[in-house]
Amino acid sequence: MRRRQRSAVCLLAVVAVLVVLTATVAADGSAVKTTIDETEAAANAMALADQTMLIAAGGALLGIGFGAAVASGITYWYKNREIGGRLQ
């Protein structure tokens, strides 16, 4: 019987702690949400920090591709104008 009483008291203590924690979180949900958002933002920043070289290489490839497209367009326009001038 003593063991049952101890188990009941432990169970009651656990339930009381859970009720208090739930009430605390419910009363101050904005601070908890802010903390969760900040934790997610920090995790995202750490994930991006681990991929710095990959992001830099991707940016360089995009820049090179855009530069090549612009240079091709300018070259086409210039040569088209040059050839058009010779034909007239």
Side-chain angles (χ1 to χ4, degrees):
M1 185 97 160
R2 193 160 177 88
R3 188 176 213 175
R4 278 184 139 182
Q5 287 176 344
R6 195 177 302 156
S7 296
V9 169
C10 287
L11 181 62
L12 186 62
V14 168
V15 169
V17 168
L18 288 177
V19 167
V20 169
L21 287 176
T22 303
T24 303
V25 169
D28 198 17
S30 62
V32 172
K33 184 172 178 148
T34 303
T35 303
I36 291 171
D37 291 342
E38 292 298 323
T39 303
E40 289 176 358
N44 290 339
M46 290 298 291
L48 287 176
D50 292 341
Q51 300 174 4
T52 304
M53 291 303 293
L54 183 63
I55 292 171
L61 288 174
L62 283 173
I64 290 170
F66 182 73
V70 169
S72 296
I74 291 172
T75 303
Y76 173 79
W77 173 78
Y78 178 75
K79 290 293 182 180
N80 190 22
R81 191 169 167 211
E82 185 179 309
I83 292 171
R86 285 186 196 166
L87 291 177
Q88 291 177 3

